[in-house]
Amino acid sequence: MASCHDVQLDSRVDHDPKRILLMGNPNVGKSVFFSQLTGLDVISSNFVGTTVTYTEGTIELNNEKYTLIDVPGTYSLEATSEAEAVAVQFVSSKPRAILCVLDATNLERNIKLGLEIQRYNVPVIYALNMVDVAKRHGLEIDIAQLSRELRAPVVPTIAVKGEGFTDLKAELAKLVSQPSASPRFVGTELDAWRRAKDIARRVRNQASEELSFLDRLGEAMLKPLPGIPIALLVILLSLGAIVGGGKALRALLLLPLVNDVLVPFFKGLFAMFIPEGILLNVLIGEYGIFVIGFEWIIALILPYVFLFYVVFSFLEDSGFLPRLSVLFDGIMRKMGVQGGSMITILLGYGCAVPAIIGSRTATTKKERIMISAAVCFAVPCISQTGALISLFAGFSPILLVLMLLMSFVIMFTVSFILGRVIKGEVDPMVIEVPNLLMPNPKAYAKKLMLRMKGFLVDAEGPMLISIVIAATLKETGLLELIAGYLEPLVSGWLGLPRDAVVALILGVVRREMAVAPLLAIEGLTALQAFVGGTVALLYLPCLSVFGILTKEFSVRFAVAIGLATTTTAFLVAGIINQVAQLLS
Amino acid sequence: MLARKPRPSSQKSFTSLYDAEDGKQYVVTSVPSVGILKSLGIMENTIIHKKMTYRLGGPVLLKVDSSEIAVGKEFAEKIIVRG
């Protein structure tokens, strides 16, 4: 608790008198409140000096603009974790008011946090969320009584359905315009627990249970049977939706758009002004910036990235992922990590950068390193998966399955070895299983938008760089020169055509670029495609990953990962090639 | 809160949460000092309902108040409960 005063306050956080905090336990639907109450101008920031991110937006009350801060969800305000320390920083920075969301289905624990918040002498209003679910679970709550016990306004809401927000906003407006005396709670966490249990007992009436289909499904999914089959089915369907949907988008919409509209337009445009020569080739030649730029980014990568986040965000908001963690914790323990890390690794199948940032939730440094390494080594990002699917499309789907199996084996091996080598412990899992629910469309859309924006901002630069490098290398003839030097490795050891060198060079910049150039090579054999795919999968993660590893860990760690992955890539792919050559 | 029985009865035996039988209610008697367990309400003298134990080294699933919480095997082995 001493740490309250150690962390430096964000100077911006310190001075804004029109700040309203949105607080509550994890999984109470806080993000739905945030998206319902704020406009489109949402900013996601890092809390100074920490790894904790929070979102802020603008809320209008009494025709005045206030800043609503979505404080990271915590179970207590004891500053025992970084997120809790940040939450403590926010409540002690004299905000105008606090909107505390309480989950009606977990009353005791939520009231406990609600009481801890009252230690800080800030006007507070409570939203009692998921009153519908509580009712179905047989819990009727006396709102007026709860309001008296907490000595603050309490508004019932059903956030996912958008119910209760008009009342909530009206109450919040009242609170900020005429701040009444803030309720005070004095006592330790244990006192808060006692008082919370007492309050919960008094305001809660048992009613009859009428579980809905989703409640029953959520319950069933926690049992190995039918939980595991359902989980596998959901994963398969998700993959199908991403891969199939991506292919369809590509064939029906994006490829025609690129090949028939964008590329011919720019070809025509540049041909009018620029004389034939290297410059024109760099712009619109076979590897021209305006040719592969559109082809790779729009037709190859975007559809898969978009659909991945469509599916992942849905699974995340529905409460599916924690159930997955519980079911597969046993297996993850064998790998050396714990069930909760499965969510982080799955996120890595979208992009390694958010996964590495997400690994902050690991409770020990050891586990963080293990997850990040596993993702860097063997988890293909969605852009690369898209490229690999296109690469193998001409051959057999068996190649894709083989590649997937290899990726699992390598992930397991890397994690297992690191678990033995790195000193320290990996904490066992402690995870709350939230109710299964249908995500709220508005909150879901906002999350999706933030993610796509993040992807475009983070990936655009490196992608353009790699495209410019590709175009320049190829069209200036420099590539031939480098290919000559790397010939023994590329053609001798790996058995790939000379042009595959482009893939190796570009793969440093972006992961899918280690595959994309292979697509352009005519007459590739199935073995060459598989070997090329293997190199790409295991190869150095992209520049952005290198950057995030440096930022989150150290340059040394980033370099070590880079060297280790590259060596593994050439070793494994080479062995596959040599063995296959011997056998045939 | 809980009146102590004058003599320890054989029925009120102490056992680790991991080994405790599924589908029954227990009173927690000792918990390792881990912040997250306390924050989730798994403290001494709390009543918890053990729903199930996952095989192959998996976690145990608990109901604490009305929320469901999964606790990994190694922690569950260190939490002592009374039947």
Side-chain angles (χ1 to χ4, degrees), chain A residues 458-485:
Chain A
D458 294 339
E460 192 89 358
M463 265 190 305
L464 284 175
I465 294 170
S466 63
I467 284 159
V468 172
I469 295 175
T472 319
L473 284 179
K474 179 82 181 180
E475 303 297 341
T476 54
L478 213 60
L479 192 67
E480 282 300 303
L481 203 72
I482 301 173
Y485 287 119

Side-chain angles (χ1 to χ4, degrees), chain A residues 75-76 84 105-109 189-190 193 197 204 219 222-224 326-327 329-330 333-334 428-433, chain B residues 35-41 43 46 51-52 54-59 61 65-75:
Chain A
Y75 292 114
S76 81
E84 286 178 9
T105 64
N106 294 308
L107 218 43
E108 287 183 3
R109 201 184 63 217
E189 189 182 15
L190 202 62
W193 267 117
K197 287 187 183 189
R204 204 153 52 180
E219 185 78 7
L222 276 169
K223 298 187 181 116
V326 174
L327 289 172
D329 178 57
R333 284 309 280 180
K334 304 266 180 314
M429 172 174 76
V430 178
I431 198 172
E432 189 207 350
V433 185
Chain B
I36 180 81
L37 289 174
K38 195 176 177 190
S39 303
L40 285 168
M43 303 172 291
T46 337
K51 293 183 79 172
M52 67 175 118
Y54 291 85
R55 284 164 30 163
L56 301 167
L61 185 66
D65 182 26
S66 44
S67 58
E68 281 180 335
I69 294 161
V71 176
K73 184 181 175 210
E74 289 84 349
F75 275 157

Side-chain angles (χ1 to χ4, degrees), chain A residues 247 389 392-404 530:
Chain A
K247 271 185 162 172
I389 292 165
F392 295 150
F395 305 100
S396 151
I398 296 172
L399 290 186
L400 198 63
V401 176
L402 280 177
M403 181 115 321
L404 206 65
F530 191 75

Side-chain angles (χ1 to χ4, degrees), chain A residues 2 64 84 143 217 247 294 303 314 318-319 345-346 352 355 450 490 502 516 558 563 568 579:
Chain A
E64 272 191 81
E84 286 178 9
I143 310 260
L217 182 65
K247 271 185 162 172
F294 289 123
F314 183 86
S318 65
I345 292 175
L346 280 178
L450 266 177
V490 175
V502 194
L563 287 178
T568 318
V579 170

Side-chain angles (χ1 to χ4, degrees), chain A residues 268-449:
Chain A
L269 190 74
F270 286 118
M272 271 198 285
F273 301 106
I274 300 167
E276 278 195 33
I278 289 181
L279 181 60
L280 188 67
N281 282 342
V282 167
L283 289 174
I284 56 167
E286 188 200 345
Y287 265 79
I289 295 169
F290 285 86
V291 175
I292 51 174
F294 289 123
E295 214 167 86
W296 288 354
I297 296 183
I298 297 181
L300 193 62
I301 301 163
L302 210 59
Y304 295 109
V305 173
F306 175 69
L307 287 170
F308 176 84
Y309 284 128
V310 164
V311 171
F312 190 85
S313 307
F314 183 86
L315 294 181
E316 200 172 37
D317 285 5
S318 65
F320 172 77
L321 296 177
R323 288 176 166 75
L324 213 56
S325 297
V326 174
L327 289 172
F328 291 100
D329 178 57
I331 295 174
M332 300 300 280
R333 284 309 280 180
K334 304 266 180 314
M335 226 172 98
V337 293
Q338 45 95 24
S341 293
M342 188 159 178
I343 299 176
T344 316
I345 292 175
L346 280 178
L347 189 57
Y349 281 91
C351 173
V353 173
I356 291 165
I357 296 173
S359 71
R360 286 167 181 170
T361 52
T363 50
T364 59
K365 180 89 188 230
K366 175 175 177 169
E367 191 177 14
R368 252 209 102 174
I369 293 176
M370 289 171 70
I371 309 167
S372 301
V375 168
C376 289
F377 265 92
V379 175
C381 68
I382 191 65
S383 320
Q384 193 183 36
T385 308
L388 283 172
I389 292 165
S390 309
L391 178 66
F392 295 150
F395 305 100
S396 151
I398 296 172
L399 290 186
L400 198 63
V401 176
L402 280 177
M403 181 115 321
L404 206 65
L405 282 179
M406 192 174 67
S407 124
F408 286 142
V409 170
I410 289 184
M411 180 161 43
F412 205 94
T413 316
V414 167
S415 183
F416 189 81
I417 293 174
L418 285 179
R420 302 266 143 143
V421 173
I422 304 173
K423 286 199 188 75
E425 295 281 319
V426 170
D427 286 337
M429 172 174 76
V430 178
I431 198 172
E432 189 207 350
V433 185
N435 300 308
L436 203 63
L437 46 82
M438 210 59 190
N440 167 272
K442 209 168 164 184
Y444 173 73
K446 206 168 241 184
K447 183 182 225 166
L448 197 60
M449 197 188 72

